[in-house]
Amino acid sequence: MTLVTFRNVLLVSILLRVILILYSEWHDARSLVKYTDVDYRVFSDAARFLLYPSEVNSAQGPVKGILGFNFTLGDPYTRETYRYTPLLALILTPNEWLHPSFGKLLFAACDIINGIIIYGLLLRESSPQSKDRTKVLTETKDTLLPELVAESMRRDRLATIYAATYLLNPLVFSISTRGSSESVLSLFVLLTLDSALRGRWNLAAVWLGVSTHWKIYPVIYGVSCLGVISNTANRGSLVETGGVFGYFGSLVNRRTVRFTALSGGTFLALGAVCYALWGYPFLYESYLYHLHRLDHRHNFSPYFYLTYLTYPALNITSSTAAPLVPWTSRLIRSPLASFVPQMALALGTGLLFGRRKEELVFTWFVQTVLFVLFNKVCTSQYFLWYLLFLPLLIPQLQSMSKNRVLLYIAVWVGTQALWLAEAYKLEFLGENVFFSLWIRSLVYVAGNCWVLAGIMNSYE
């Protein structure tokens, strides 16, 4: 156990990521099947377009016309399928002038920073108040000092083990070293959580605005933050404030309005700068596209099959053919078919469980699992959104037996393996297994819901 120190875990984590990034360079140069994620090539291309403007590739924001001169700034959205904030392309410009693997190293570094933050949060949240420690030491006159030292070492060892479940998670380090940018967003979310747990709500609001600008889904955490701030300010419960309507009324006060203004202002300020430089392409590709996205490619979400079946009908242009589509089909095809249940669950649980700072980790975990599970598009990298909170949640799941833990892990992994085995037949063998793949998507949703329910029941 003397080897189980956070320093050693950190060194192993860094070494592992560096080796994998070096291996990716060797592997990609020799194999048709690349280790590097296709998204990383999209990021790199967008960064290249940003650096090298041309007549057909230049920033088209309104500032260009107002100032009356041509920008020496390219448009990252010239790269098709680049649907992210231009700030991502901006921070990856060293891919072009320094080294093509700079972005992977940056994402891996964010992984490491995330692990350090998680470790710090685990230590801080598990340690007794400093005044209580001082009181104990004063009253006992060091008679309990060996016990206190042993307890401190135990907490440190547990924090190290829990942090290692993130740092040494194969899904985490493989996705970042393949070139996915999720670790950057995870860093912003963790900084938001850390600020909220410290009670620094102004800073938390700013980080939440940055997170939402980077990718829109962290907006769901805002409702639980408002609940905690409101509960702290009003000292009221659902009953004391007059039921449901009283509770919603209690959410509006000076502190919650300031939090909303700061987070919303940060989001709008970043968006305004990007819009001023890159114009409507930024607005559409980063946000509007995702509202009506129709992804008929197979993914874990059961919605893919519905989109696949109705996808050709969406391209009908004849006015005589349009009425043949029943209103029920049009309703099912609507983005609201997935958006309404998804947001009702994600925001509803935020309002339900968002009461105290100590409950934020649990609340955000539940919100994120539900958001991912009922999203109309779901891929493996989305799992990182809620796995981020798991190391922080484990200390509150002590009532869960080891057999139950193994069962939940088996169901979570097994439902994915069951789906992937069928997806392999479709993707690589070209077999028509769309219906059976959809059935396995339903099994994936049911299995994950069961695991989530078990975690919620075990939460202390």
Side-chain angles (χ1 to χ4, degrees):
M1 295 302 294
T2 57
L3 295 177
V4 185
T5 65
F6 185 67
R7 180 174 178 271
N8 289 344
V9 169
L10 209 58
L11 289 174
V12 171
S13 302
I14 294 172
L15 183 62
L16 179 63
R17 284 162 172 79
V18 170
I19 290 174
L20 285 174
I21 291 172
L22 292 175
Y23 168 76
S24 70
E25 292 288 319
W26 180 88
H27 177 93
D28 290 353
R30 290 165 175 80
S31 175
L32 292 176
V33 180
K34 307 299 183 184
Y35 178 85
T36 301
D37 195 299
V38 64
D39 283 345
Y40 188 72
R41 294 198 291 272
V42 173
F43 302 157
S44 300
D45 290 347
R48 186 178 305 112
F49 280 119
L50 190 64
L51 280 177
Y52 302 112
S54 65
E55 292 184 2
V56 295
N57 167 45
S58 62
Q60 299 298 320
V63 171
K64 178 179 180 180
I66 294 173
L67 297 181
F69 62 87
N70 290 327
F71 275 115
T72 57
L73 187 64
D75 183 5
Y77 301 105
T78 302
R79 175 47 160 106
E80 293 183 5
T81 74
Y82 182 78
R83 298 188 173 98
Y84 310 88
T85 171
L87 300 183
L88 175 58
L90 188 62
I91 65 173
L92 292 185
T93 51
N95 279 11
E96 190 65 23
W97 52 265
L98 185 60
H99 194 276
S101 289
F102 170 83
K104 295 179 183 178
L105 292 170
L106 176 64
F107 301 153
C110 288
D111 261 354
I112 300 301
I113 297 172
N114 292 340
I116 294 173
I117 295 175
I118 289 171
Y119 173 74
L121 284 171
L122 286 165
L123 278 184
R124 192 175 76 237
E125 296 303 312
S126 66
S127 63
Q129 297 295 327
S130 57
K131 60 180 181 181
D132 294 336
R133 287 204 306 271
T134 303
K135 180 180 179 181
V136 169
L137 286 172
T138 302
E139 291 181 351
T140 59
K141 299 183 183 300
D142 297 341
T143 56
L144 294 181
L145 185 58
E147 288 80 357
L148 292 174
V149 172
E151 174 64 18
S152 177
M153 293 177 63
R154 187 189 71 84
R155 287 190 287 103
D156 182 81
R157 186 166 61 249
L158 287 176
T160 297
I161 294 172
Y162 297 152
T165 62
Y166 175 83
L167 286 169
L168 299 180
N169 186 324
L171 189 63
V172 173
F173 63 68
S174 63
I175 285 181
S176 62
T177 56
R178 291 186 66 213
S180 173
S181 64
E182 297 300 332
S183 60
V184 180
L185 176 62
S186 296
L187 175 59
F188 295 149
V189 171
L190 277 177
L191 290 171
T192 307
L193 177 63
D194 180 66
S195 301
L197 292 177
R198 292 175 183 269
R200 299 175 179 174
W201 292 109
N202 291 344
L203 185 59
V206 172
W207 281 121
L208 181 61
V210 173
S211 303
T212 307
H213 168 81
W214 200 264
K215 193 165 285 188
I216 198 69
Y217 89 87
V219 71
I220 63 176
Y221 304 140
V223 294
S224 51
C225 289
L226 293 178
V228 174
I229 296 171
S230 175
N231 192 52
T232 303
N234 297 325
R235 302 292 180 181
S237 65
L238 196 63
V239 176
E240 294 168 350
T241 54
V244 174
F245 294 105
Y247 173 72
F248 280 108
S250 71
L251 291 177
V252 181
N253 56 65
R254 181 178 59 84
R255 297 172 72 177
T256 56
V257 169
R258 182 173 62 186
F259 180 87
T260 304
L262 278 173
S263 58
T266 302
F267 172 77
L268 292 175
L270 290 172
V273 171
C274 292
Y275 180 80
L277 293 174
W278 289 282
Y280 183 74
F282 152 72
L283 196 61
Y284 176 78
E285 299 291 356
S286 297
Y287 304 116
L288 300 180
Y289 166 81
H290 299 280
L291 294 178
H292 61 82
R293 176 181 182 180
L294 292 173
D295 196 335
H296 64 285
R297 296 290 299 274
H298 55 280
N299 60 84
F300 285 100
S301 172
Y303 291 110
F304 95 90
Y305 190 53
L306 182 65
T307 306
Y308 168 75
L309 292 177
T310 60
Y311 195 80
L314 296 176
N315 294 325
I316 294 176
T317 56
S318 171
S319 59
T320 59
L324 298 177
V325 181
W327 70 268
T328 52
S329 297
R330 293 197 300 271
L331 178 63
I332 292 174
R333 292 173 192 163
S334 169
L336 296 177
S338 61
F339 184 76
V340 170
Q342 177 192 35
M343 297 308 292
L345 288 168
L347 298 179
T349 50
L351 290 171
L352 181 63
F353 300 131
R355 293 289 192 275
R356 302 186 304 131
K357 287 190 301 182
E358 294 78 8
E359 313 298 333
L360 277 179
V361 171
F362 170 73
T363 304
W364 288 16
F365 175 81
V366 173
Q367 285 184 278
T368 312
V369 172
L370 291 171
F371 184 91
V372 171
L373 201 55
F374 291 92
N375 198 33
K376 61 183 176 181
V377 178
C378 180
T379 61
S380 296
Q381 68 186 36
Y382 292 5
F383 302 156
L384 296 183
W385 297 354
Y386 59 79
L387 289 178
L388 179 70
F389 303 116
L390 195 57
L392 301 170
L393 188 62
I394 293 175
Q396 277 70 51
L397 303 177
Q398 298 302 320
S399 64
M400 190 183 294
S401 66
K402 291 182 179 180
N403 290 337
R404 184 66 65 169
V405 171
L406 294 176
L407 179 60
Y408 289 154
I409 293 175
V411 171
W412 187 77
V413 174
T415 53
Q416 295 176 48
L418 186 70
W419 185 91
L420 289 169
E422 200 72 355
Y424 174 81
K425 297 177 184 178
L426 176 62
E427 183 72 19
F428 293 97
L429 303 182
E431 298 180 12
N432 186 356
V433 293
F434 282 98
F435 181 76
S436 58
L437 187 61
W438 176 67
I439 295 297
R440 295 184 185 216
S441 295
L442 296 177
V443 173
Y444 154 79
V445 171
N448 278 256
C449 284
W450 182 75
V451 171
L452 176 61
I455 291 175
M456 293 171 69
N457 286 332
S458 301
Y459 177 71
E460 298 177 358

